[in-house]
Amino acid sequence: MNATSGSEIRDVDAIVVGAGFGGIYMLHKLRNDLGLNAVCIDKAAGVGGTWFWNKYPGALSDSESFVYQYSFDRDLYVDTNWTTKYVRQPLILEYLNGVVDRYGLREHFLLETAMTGANFDEASGTWTVQTDRGFALRGRFLINGLGLLSATNMPAFPGIERFEGQVLHTGAWPEDTDLTGKRVGVIGNGSTGCQVVTATAPVAGHLTSFQRTPQYSVPAGNRELPADKLASYKENFESIWDQVHNSSVAMGFVESQIETFSVTEEERERIFEEAWQEGGGFRFMFETFCDIATNPDANEEAAKFIRRKISEIVKDPETARKLSPNDLYARRPLCDSGYYEVFNRPNVSMVHIGENPIVEMTDKGVLTADGTLHELDVLICATGFDAVDGNYRRVAIHGLAGQLLGDSWKEGPTSYLGMATSGFPNMFMILGPNGPFTNQPPSIETQVEWIATTIGELAGSPGEWLDVKADVEDRWTETCAEIADQTLFPKADSWIFGANIPGKKRTVMFYLGGIKEYRGILAGETAAGYPNFIRKSAVLNPA
């Protein structure tokens, strides 16, 4: 099983895989705070993770700009000048590159270098990571920042290989793509699909949206922010991030404590309308009322409001019907920049493939069950990702006694705290399975800081490693499931539970208890000396 035979082996203290928000901050903590010899590898040609690959039209954060950034350095926060409510992909990528250079990290990234396998050696207490570049890296600590949404999910339509046009996935977008005047099809209408459809419709010759499941979406409300608002973010840095860390979804607003039916119908309408005008999917679900995600009747009130808005916006009644969901409002909350309005354009059409399925692709386009051939020049697959564990399953990661991570997770991906999994000592995950479901940068920072503290505890004891106890991991999985079952989210088909991947077992993949509670659990684990881990020492330099 020694896949490194014949390869050059480079020794380091720690290996970080993935150069997104998590990998960049992890490398900074390891090198600049702990003084360790650490490197970060990524298969991409540049840093940025998700924001390097997702360069599709309309790519935009759906967390507000003042909390969609790092908070570990006040000066960095003050020096970041994002002027809109949400941030477009090019600016986020520019920001992350700026962070890399600000902290002197550039030379410690090995780009266009993919991890092809990893093995833990119990005798030496080290991980060896094989790469596709003819060398391997060996170190005590392996930190995977592979990304929640990075293993692309491509549809397997019969005949797709015959199509003479372009087939693109939004998660691997070619920068030189020009859709001007072309006949464009978009499959998928989740967050990415909504963004692509909205941004592409004004330039395409014709756009066909192939929709499987109607979505609830509210306006993003993206706009230029006044100077005094931007200044107040910087002046109130400490209080903003204190609120974020002591909230549930970490989105920068105070979550509602008001129950939906505790107010009059008129007041309820006013609150919903105010949220609609302000914009933001998470605001609409969590800042309006406290029980939309837990009470089916309250959920239906929010759903009815959005359905009514769709019927008011979309002029063609049949198109409005197709766009109107009738299930729970219990997927990841979406927001858009004029998604429903797009369907009033004469060059945009809707095909509801939930009612009129795709039969096959031909050389000219997409054939649906009603016999219609939808001729296309470009087919865009906004079909999402094999979320959370997809990238882990695509690499052979071997832990104690050669155990394969994919086999360990055969009943579904599990972890303790979203960061450690039993049988894989000194391997940590950033945004691994059953981590917090919140605004990502605060969750990433929380996890990276805990991992760095833990590594700091071990770094002075050569050969020492931590492995989470199996029963602890089981209990954490049960805890995540119990919390999820108190909400409506498991009752909706969503990538959050793996429902978007054919054949993938539905399972809980997030901790829905909120970032405040999560941070408290982490602090307790550290303060108690890691009681939920097995602590061992490798046999170094045996006689």
Side-chain angles (χ1 to χ4, degrees), residues 447-467:
Q447 291 189 329
V448 167
E449 287 161 7
W450 186 88
I451 292 168
T453 298
T454 303
I455 289 175
E457 288 286 318
L458 297 170
S461 303
E464 193 168 36
W465 46 263
L466 287 180
D467 185 22

Side-chain angles (χ1 to χ4, degrees), residues 419-431:
M419 291 186 285
T421 188
S422 182
F424 297 82
N426 281 8
M427 186 187 86
F428 301 98
M429 299 174 288
I430 304 167
L431 301 182

Side-chain angles (χ1 to χ4, degrees), residues 492-530:
D493 287 336
S494 168
W495 66 262
I496 296 173
F497 297 90
N500 64 316
I501 304 297
K504 187 169 183 176
K505 182 178 178 180
R506 283 183 62 105
T507 184
V508 63
M509 290 196 287
F510 289 96
Y511 170 75
L512 300 178
I515 198 167
K516 177 182 179 180
E517 294 300 319
Y518 181 74
R519 287 170 65 89
I521 294 166
L522 297 191
E525 182 69 44
T526 303
Y530 306 96

Side-chain angles (χ1 to χ4, degrees), residues 279-525:
F282 282 87
R283 282 187 182 272
F284 191 89
M285 180 170 279
F286 295 107
E287 193 181 30
T288 52
F289 299 101
C290 65
D291 53 356
I292 290 174
T294 56
N295 180 334
D297 293 333
N299 186 274
E300 177 59 16
E301 288 297 300
K304 283 194 302 187
F305 180 89
I306 297 174
R307 286 196 291 266
R308 190 165 65 249
K309 286 292 187 181
I310 296 171
S311 68
E312 293 170 358
I313 293 168
V314 181
K315 295 175 182 177
D316 177 61
E318 178 60 10
T319 303
R321 181 195 68 78
K322 292 177 181 177
L323 286 165
S324 297
N326 291 304
D327 55 355
L328 285 166
Y329 174 40
R331 296 183 182 87
R332 178 174 178 263
L334 303 187
C335 59
D336 64 79
S337 299
Y339 174 67
Y340 297 121
E341 289 84 350
V342 155
F343 291 93
N344 292 326
R345 297 180 61 95
N347 70 323
V348 175
S349 58
M350 154 71 66
V351 178
H352 191 336
I353 59 176
E355 300 173 349
N356 182 23
I358 293 174
V359 174
E360 64 174 343
M361 289 192 68
T362 73
D363 56 343
K364 299 301 182 186
V366 172
L367 180 68
T368 48
D370 64 356
T372 302
L373 176 62
H374 306 272
E375 295 191 1
L376 303 173
D377 301 308
V378 182
L379 178 66
I380 299 172
C381 299
T383 45
F385 304 87
D386 187 353
V388 184
D389 61 321
N391 266 342
Y392 289 90
R393 294 183 185 277
R394 297 182 183 193
V395 178
I397 300 175
H398 294 273
L400 292 174
Q403 182 179 13
L404 183 66
L405 182 60
D407 292 340
S408 178
W409 286 354
K410 63 181 180 296
E411 296 301 320
T414 61
S415 79
Y416 175 50
L417 305 173
M419 291 186 285
T421 188
S422 182
F424 297 82
N426 281 8
M427 186 187 86
F428 301 98
M429 299 174 288
I430 304 167
L431 301 182
N434 289 338
F437 186 70
T438 71
N439 178 24
Q440 288 191 15
S443 285
I444 287 169
E445 283 191 314
T446 295
Q447 291 189 329
V448 167
E449 287 161 7
W450 186 88
I451 292 168
T453 298
T454 303
I455 289 175
E457 288 286 318
L458 297 170
S461 303
E464 193 168 36
W465 46 263
L466 287 180
D467 185 22
V468 66
K469 297 173 182 176
D471 63 324
V472 168
E473 185 167 343
D474 291 342
R475 287 200 299 273
W476 181 252
T477 303
E478 291 167 4
T479 295
C480 292
E482 288 167 0
I483 295 172
D485 285 342
Q486 295 172 30
T487 75
L488 300 174
F489 291 114
K491 296 177 174 61
D493 287 336
S494 168
W495 66 262
I496 296 173
F497 297 90
N500 64 316
I501 304 297
K504 187 169 183 176
K505 182 178 178 180
R506 283 183 62 105
T507 184
V508 63
M509 290 196 287
F510 289 96
Y511 170 75
L512 300 178
I515 198 167
K516 177 182 179 180
E517 294 300 319
Y518 181 74
R519 287 170 65 89
I521 294 166
L522 297 191
E525 182 69 44

Side-chain angles (χ1 to χ4, degrees), residues 2-275:
N2 185 4
T4 65
S5 178
S7 301
E8 174 196 354
I9 299 179
R10 304 178 187 179
D11 286 304
V12 294
D13 295 319
I15 305 149
V16 181
V17 184
F21 261 98
I24 291 169
Y25 186 36
M26 191 78 252
L27 189 64
H28 168 63
K29 294 292 288 183
L30 292 170
R31 294 197 65 88
N32 297 335
D33 288 1
L34 295 179
L36 298 179
N37 179 14
V39 296
C40 178
I41 67 173
D42 198 297
K43 65 182 179 181
V47 302
T50 292
W51 297 107
F52 177 87
W53 294 107
N54 286 264
K55 297 173 180 175
Y56 59 83
L60 184 76
S61 72
D62 62 0
S63 305
E64 294 180 33
S65 61
F66 77 106
V67 290
Y68 198 76
Q69 50 186 299
Y70 294 116
S71 67
F72 67 85
D73 184 340
R74 192 184 199 280
D75 290 339
L76 170 64
Y77 190 81
V78 170
D79 292 343
T80 299
N81 294 307
W82 287 343
T83 61
T84 52
K85 183 178 179 182
Y86 298 96
V87 198
R88 297 200 176 277
Q89 177 272 336
L91 282 179
I92 300 173
L93 189 58
E94 179 183 322
Y95 168 77
L96 291 173
N97 274 279
V99 170
V100 166
D101 292 329
R102 184 183 184 108
Y103 299 102
L105 301 173
R106 182 75 59 182
E107 65 184 290
H108 306 296
F109 286 95
L110 300 176
L111 299 173
E112 297 182 287
T113 302
M115 175 172 67
T116 58
N119 301 296
F120 182 74
D121 179 53
E122 189 171 355
S124 63
T126 59
W127 280 95
T128 300
V129 170
Q130 297 86 42
T131 75
D132 62 354
R133 297 296 297 273
F135 65 86
L137 295 162
R138 182 169 56 202
R140 288 182 62 196
F141 306 103
L142 171 60
I143 305 98
N144 290 308
L146 302 183
L148 282 178
L149 302 173
S150 54
T152 54
N153 174 40
M154 286 292 291
F157 296 123
I160 195 168
E161 72 284 350
R162 298 199 302 267
F163 180 52
E164 294 176 351
Q166 282 182 288
V167 178
L168 306 174
H169 192 285
T170 53
W173 192 264
E175 290 189 61
D176 60 352
T177 302
D178 183 5
L179 301 174
T180 304
K182 294 185 177 178
R183 297 168 299 176
V184 179
V186 180
I187 297 179
N189 61 314
S191 180
T192 295
C194 285
Q195 291 176 347
V196 170
V197 166
T198 305
T200 301
V203 301
H206 188 272
L207 185 144
T208 305
S209 172
F210 295 94
Q211 169 196 273
R212 183 181 64 179
T213 306
Q215 297 275 8
Y216 295 99
S217 186
V218 306
N222 198 24
R223 55 188 178 270
E224 289 286 331
L225 297 173
D228 59 341
K229 184 74 169 177
L230 297 171
S232 72
Y233 290 148
K234 298 179 180 185
E235 291 166 4
N236 296 299
F237 171 84
E238 287 83 5
S239 61
I240 285 170
W241 289 100
D242 180 69
Q243 190 279 327
V244 166
H245 292 150
N246 287 284
S247 67
S248 180
V249 295
M251 287 287 176
F253 58 80
V254 177
E255 290 111 356
S256 177
Q257 299 298 312
I258 302 170
E259 293 184 350
T260 301
F261 297 106
S262 67
V263 301
T264 64
E265 184 177 349
E266 292 75 19
E267 177 66 2
R268 190 158 57 247
E269 181 74 11
R270 185 196 66 78
I271 291 171
F272 280 140
E273 182 64 32
E274 189 175 275

